Amino acid sequence: MSIRQIALVCLLTVLVLPAAACGDDASDEPFKIGVMESLTGPGETYGTVSSQAKQLAVDEINAAGGIDGRMIELIVQDSKCSAQDAITAYNKLTDVDGVKIILGTSCSGAMLGAAPLAEADGVVLFSGLATNPDIAEAGDYIFRTSMSDAQLGIDTGNVLWADGIRTLATITEATDYAEGVRRSSVAQFESLGGQVVGEERYPSDITDFRTQLTKLINANPDALHIAAQAEFSGGTIVKQARELGYDGPIYGEVVVIGATALEVAGEAATGVKAITADLDPANQKAQEVLNSFRETYNYVTLPWYLGSAYDDVYITAECLKQTGDDQDADGFRDCLYEITWSGAIGDNFSFDEKGEVVGLSNVVVEVLPASQRTEDNNGYKVLGGAPTQ
Amino acid sequence: MSVNPSEAASLLRSVREPGAFARLARGNLELWVNLVVITWAVVFAIWQGTGFAITLGTVFAIWAILAVSLNLVVGFTGLLSVGHIGFFGIGAYTVAILTSNAQYEQLRTEAIPTFGWPFFAALPVGIVLAGLTAIAVGTVFNRFRDDIFVLVSFGFTVICFNVFLNSRGLTRGAFGIHEIAKPEIGGWSFGSEVAFLILALVFLAIVVLISWFIVSSSFGRVLTAIREDERATEVFGYQVTHYKLAVWVISAMMAAAAGGLFASWTTFIDPNSFILLESILLVSIVILGGLATIWGSILGTMVFVLLEEGMRFLPFLPDEYVGQARQVILGVLLVLLMLFRPQGLLGRYKL
C-alpha cells in the first residue's frame, strides 16, 4: 500500500505543482517570446549556447529598463533535433503559452518540422542557427540570421578555385548540414572547371576514417575537403589524414576549426583552412558580446552562432518596440522585412523576400600552430573575406 | 482489457453500492493504475487547454499503434524485436515519397522525383511494402530465437536507417523529405489538427480491434503456446514458423500504417526519426505497459507521453535544465517501475 501511495503522490505532484505556479495578473505584463532550441540530443552544444546567448541579451535589455518599461520574458522549450519534438514544443508554446513570436530552432530538421505549422498559424519563426537551404522556401513567416549552406558552398568553391586547386577529394558526414555543404561546394567548384577525384561518406558514429582516407589520398588530389557535422570526427579526420602521410592542403567549414576539433587534431590541424561565418575581430559589438558571455557563463564556443542568437533578441526587441504588441505577428513580420541591422555578426544586414539574411559574408580562416593558439584568437587567424569569383 | 468480465461486473455493481467499490479497490493495483493514468490524462488535457492536448493525443495515437502492434510480437509470441521502427520508417518513407509535392529543383540540394499521390493511395502501398519486407526478412529471422533474434532485429533497424540515409536519389538522404500531403478523401481534408487526431484514433481503433481479434482467436492461443514452449507446440503438430511469420508480417503492416500517419502528421521526415533509440524506447513502452495485454500497451503509451511532455511544465527548474531534467526523471521513473513492477503496469508475464 505504501509504495502505491508514494507513487500516487509523486504523480499528483508532477500534475499539481505547475498549476500552482501559473497565476500572474494582467497589468504591465512582459512581452512573451518563445524559444525552441536543442537542449538535449545531437545539437546540444549549439542549442545550449544559443539559448544562453538569448538569455544574456534579454537580461541586458531588462536591466536597462526593458522595452518602453515592459520586460521581455523568454519561454524556453527543448525541440531536440527532431521534427516531432519541434512540433510538440511549438504547440506547447503557441497553445499553452499563447506565444506568437518564436526564436529558434537550432537544428534544420526541427525547423522544417515546425515551419509548416508556423506558416499556417501566422506565427513568426526566427532562427539564428538553422542553415538548411530548404528553409528558404519554408514560408513568409520564417526568418533566419544564419546563412544558408548553399551560400557557404558557393564561397567554398570559389576559395578552392582561387587557391589554385584543380582536383579535389571530399569526405562528408552523412547529415543534412554536411551533405548540403558538400553538394553546393562541389557544384560551384565543378562549374568553375574543377574536378572531383574522390568522394567518401561516413555515418556519424564512426571514429576510424583510415580506409576512406587512404582511398582518397591514393587518388592524389590537390586538396582534401572535409564536411563534418561533429567536431570530434572533423578533428579526427584531420589527424588521421596527416598520420597517413597526406601533406596537401585541407579545407573545411566551421566544424573542423571548433575548439574540440582543434584539441583532437592538435598540431596536425596547423594550416587547415576553413570557410566560415566568423565574428569580425574589428567589430566592437562582437567583442563586447563575447566578453560578457564569458563573464556570465565562464566559457565561449561557436562565437558566430552565439552572436547570431544574441542579435536575434535585439532585432526582436527593436521590432517589439515598433509594434508594441507581442501578439501582432504580422506587424512583427513586416518589421523584419524592412529592418536593417548592425550587430555582433555584421553591419547593415537585412532580410530578403524569402526571409533569408543578406549583407553578411563568410570569411576564410587559417589554423595557427598549436603554440600560438589562445582563447582570444580561438586557434585561428582570419585571412579575409571569401572571394566572389 | 485487463479487467476481466467478473471484475467488470463487480465494477458496475459498485456504482450502485459504494461499499463494493471499496472492496474491489482494496489491493487491486491494476484498477488503481488504470484510474490514476486516465485521471491524469484527463486532468492534463483539461488543464492545458485543447490545442496542446490534441497534439499530444496525436502523438499518443501514433505511438499506441506501434506499441500495440509490437506487443503482438514481443508480448504474445515472445519474440523480442527491436526492429519495429524499421517498418515504421518504411511506411513513413513510402507515404512521404509518393505524396510530397516539394519543388526541390530550385534548391541546391538533392532532388527526387515527385509523384503527388493522395495519402489514401500511398498508405496501402506503404503497408504492402512493409508486409513484403517483413515476409522477406521474417523468413530468415524465423531461424533464430531468443537472444540471437534480438541481435538480428537490431541489425534490421540499423540496415533500414542506413538505407534511408544513403538512398539519396529516393529519400534525399539526410536532407529529409518535406511538404508531405495531409490525408484527403472525397473533398474532405484531414488537414486540421482535430480531424487528424480523429483519423489517427480511428486507425488505432482498427489496429486494436484486429489485435484483439487475433489474440482471442485460436491463432492467438497458438502464439501464446509458442511463447511458453516453442518445441512443445511443434510436437503438437503446429507449423510454428508459419504462425511466427504471420504475426510478424501483420505487426509490421500495422507499424507501417503508423509510419504513414506520422509522415503525414509532421509533413517532414528525415532518417533521424527512425534510429535504434526510438526502437528501444518503443520496446520500453511495451514492457512498461505490460507484456501480452493490449490495453497495457495503450496505457503504457499514455504514461510515456504524459511523462515526456508533462515535464515540459516542471516549474521549479530554470529553463536551461528542463531539457536534461526531463530525460533524467523519465529514466529514473522507468527504473523504479521496473524495480517494483517488473511485469509492467498491467502485465501478467515477465520478459
Side-chain angles (χ1 to χ4, degrees):
Chain A
M1 198 65 181
S2 67
I3 287 167
R4 213 174 308 144
Q5 281 166 344
I6 291 167
L8 201 65
V9 169
C10 287
L11 294 180
L12 286 176
T13 315
V14 173
L15 265 173
V16 172
L17 269 179
C22 316
D24 44 352
D25 49 292
S27 63
D28 225 17
E29 260 184 37
F31 288 114
K32 279 189 180 173
I33 305 294
V35 173
M36 300 199 296
E37 302 290 355
S38 333
L39 301 175
T40 58
E44 190 177 333
T45 328
Y46 295 87
T48 310
V49 166
S50 186
S51 70
Q52 286 176 337
K54 280 169 185 165
Q55 192 59 52
L56 177 73
V58 166
D59 290 345
E60 282 177 15
I61 293 170
N62 287 347
I67 303 165
D68 298 332
R70 285 176 72 180
M71 300 291 133
I72 302 180
E73 185 193 338
L74 293 183
I75 302 164
V76 184
Q77 286 296 310
D78 184 8
S79 55
K80 297 191 187 163
C81 244
S82 86
Q84 183 191 319
D85 285 275
I87 290 173
T88 46
Y90 169 87
N91 277 310
K92 196 266 176 184
L93 285 173
T94 53
D95 292 334
V96 181
D97 301 314
V99 161
K100 285 281 188 198
I101 299 158
I102 298 176
L103 303 181
T105 63
S106 337
C107 280
S108 299
M111 186 89 173
L112 286 167
L117 295 175
E119 185 63 19
D121 298 350
V123 169
V124 173
L125 202 55
F126 183 21
S127 170
L129 263 162
T131 56
N132 189 322
D134 291 354
I135 292 170
E137 308 292 332
D140 215 19
Y141 289 85
I142 318 299
F143 294 84
R144 57 175 162 183
T145 50
S146 44
M147 279 176 281
S148 158
D149 297 337
Q151 183 58 44
L152 182 61
I154 294 170
D155 289 345
T156 307
N158 288 337
V159 170
L160 288 168
W161 187 256
D163 283 0
I165 310 297
R166 295 296 175 263
T167 56
L168 182 72
T170 64
I171 180 161
T172 310
E173 187 164 339
T175 65
D176 58 346
Y177 166 74
E179 276 285 352
V181 170
R182 181 202 65 86
R183 192 181 157 85
S184 50
S185 304
V186 165
Q188 180 70 8
F189 181 63
E190 284 181 334
S191 76
L192 291 170
Q195 195 194 351
V196 176
V197 293
E199 222 175 80
E200 290 292 328
R201 283 188 185 78
Y202 64 91
S204 302
D205 48 4
I206 73 165
T207 53
D208 183 20
F209 308 93
R210 277 177 274 245
T211 323
Q212 287 107 317
L213 285 171
T214 309
K215 263 171 84 182
L216 292 178
I217 294 168
N218 287 342
N220 206 13
D222 287 348
L224 177 65
H225 178 256
I226 302 170
Q229 173 101 43
E231 288 191 19
F232 185 81
S233 54
T236 312
I237 293 172
V238 171
K239 189 169 171 229
Q240 293 182 348
R242 294 298 187 215
E243 279 170 3
L244 288 169
Y246 176 74
D247 54 7
I250 296 179
Y251 289 84
E253 274 73 36
V254 65
V255 177
V256 294
I257 55 161
T260 314
L262 291 184
E263 204 177 304
V264 171
E267 195 60 64
T270 308
V272 168
K273 281 189 179 177
I275 295 86
T276 172
D278 198 10
L279 297 181
D280 187 350
N283 184 334
Q284 190 70 29
K285 185 73 201 161
Q287 299 312 311
E288 281 171 22
V289 174
L290 288 183
N291 286 337
S292 50
F293 190 90
R294 187 174 283 123
E295 262 170 43
T296 317
Y297 300 107
N298 290 320
Y299 79 101
V300 164
T301 183
L302 304 164
W304 197 88
Y305 293 107
L306 193 164
S308 173
Y310 180 91
D311 280 358
D312 287 359
V313 173
Y314 272 91
I315 294 170
T316 304
E318 176 60 32
C319 280
L320 282 175
K321 195 173 184 174
Q322 288 182 22
T323 62
D325 182 4
D326 60 3
Q327 295 297 310
D328 181 12
D330 287 0
F332 190 84
R333 176 199 61 184
D334 296 340
C335 167
L336 283 182
Y337 277 126
E338 276 155 29
I339 207 165
T340 301
W341 193 255
S342 297
I345 52 171
D347 289 330
N348 300 317
F349 60 87
S350 55
F351 299 95
D352 70 6
E353 73 281 359
K354 288 176 173 174
E356 298 275 280
V357 67
V358 287
L360 296 177
S361 61
N362 288 302
V363 295
V364 186
V365 305
E366 186 178 304
V367 177
L368 295 166
S371 55
Q372 295 172 29
R373 294 176 201 161
T374 64
E375 211 177 61
D376 287 332
N377 64 24
N378 291 309
Y380 53 81
K381 68 167 186 278
V382 179
L383 298 179
T388 46
Q389 194 58 45
Chain B
M1 288 288 277
S2 71
V3 184
N4 65 36
S6 65
E7 267 181 30
S10 47
L11 202 60
L12 276 179
R13 202 164 52 239
S14 70
V15 177
R16 293 193 301 271
E17 195 191 330
F21 180 76
R23 274 199 303 282
L24 188 66
R26 190 169 304 131
N28 190 337
L29 188 54
E30 290 193 358
L31 186 64
W32 278 107
V33 169
N34 275 300
L35 274 178
V36 168
V37 175
I38 292 168
T39 319
W40 184 14
V42 171
V43 172
F44 198 78
I46 292 170
W47 161 54
Q48 280 166 28
T50 47
F52 190 51
I54 289 167
T55 310
L56 290 195
T58 315
V59 175
F60 157 74
I62 291 171
W63 279 82
I65 295 175
L66 281 174
V68 169
S69 61
L70 183 62
N71 209 343
L72 286 180
V73 172
V74 176
F76 289 98
T77 321
L79 301 166
L80 182 55
S81 163
V82 290
H84 215 53
I85 223 78
F87 297 116
F88 180 61
I90 290 171
Y93 264 105
T94 312
V95 167
I97 292 166
L98 291 178
T99 68
S100 170
N101 282 318
Q103 301 296 314
Y104 299 115
E105 288 76 18
Q106 315 164 4
L107 305 165
R108 284 174 162 267
T109 54
E110 221 86 28
I112 55 168
T114 48
F115 296 94
W117 286 26
F119 173 82
F120 285 106
L123 188 67
V125 177
I127 293 175
V128 168
L129 210 61
L132 291 176
T133 318
I135 292 174
V137 298
T139 322
V140 182
F141 284 14
N142 254 329
R143 294 166 181 277
F144 307 104
R145 44 179 79 172
D146 304 333
D147 303 357
I148 309 294
F149 186 85
V150 180
L151 288 182
V152 291
S153 65
F154 164 90
F156 177 68
T157 303
V158 175
I159 291 171
C160 283
F161 173 76
N162 278 294
V163 168
F164 300 147
L165 188 62
N166 291 310
S167 318
R168 283 184 301 279
L170 196 60
T171 64
R172 293 186 88 228
F175 293 117
I177 298 175
H178 46 119
E179 288 184 38
I180 300 165
K182 290 281 182 192
E184 214 168 281
I185 195 161
W188 168 255
S189 164
F190 293 90
S192 82
E193 290 266 306
V194 186
F196 199 92
L197 172 66
I198 293 168
L199 181 74
L201 289 175
V202 168
F203 269 88
L204 174 61
I206 294 171
V207 165
V208 167
L209 269 179
I210 296 174
S211 307
W212 179 78
F213 185 71
I214 288 173
V215 301
S216 54
S217 66
S218 61
F219 175 65
R221 281 192 293 279
V222 177
L223 295 180
T224 313
I226 292 174
R227 181 192 61 212
E228 295 304 326
D229 195 333
E230 196 171 329
R231 285 274 160 74
T233 319
E234 225 164 358
V235 169
F236 279 110
Y238 290 102
Q239 279 287 349
V240 174
T241 48
H242 291 180
Y243 283 90
K244 288 206 296 194
L245 185 63
V247 75
W248 173 258
V249 171
I250 292 168
S251 159
M253 288 165 88
M254 290 172 174
L261 284 173
F262 175 77
S264 178
W265 177 63
T266 59
T267 74
F268 170 81
I269 55 166
D270 64 1
N272 285 331
S273 305
F274 312 105
I275 52 177
L276 183 67
L277 188 69
E278 304 280 320
S279 228
I280 292 172
L281 213 58
L282 188 58
V283 174
S284 328
I285 293 176
V286 170
I287 297 174
L288 172 78
L291 294 171
T293 117
I294 295 171
W295 179 247
S297 289
I298 295 173
L299 209 66
T301 315
M302 220 182 262
V303 170
F304 180 79
V305 171
L306 286 172
L307 281 178
E308 166 98 346
E309 299 303 333
M311 271 185 285
R312 285 192 189 279
F313 295 87
L314 289 178
F316 44 84
L317 281 166
D319 281 336
E320 48 192 299
Y321 297 121
V322 167
Q324 283 88 333
R326 280 169 67 203
Q327 300 198 323
V328 172
I329 296 175
L330 190 64
V332 169
L333 283 175
L334 282 178
V335 169
L336 286 179
L337 265 166
M338 286 304 103
L339 269 178
F340 294 110
R341 262 189 92 73
Q343 71 271 51
L345 292 175
L346 301 180
R348 289 182 171 57
Y349 306 95
K350 292 181 201 173
L351 201 61

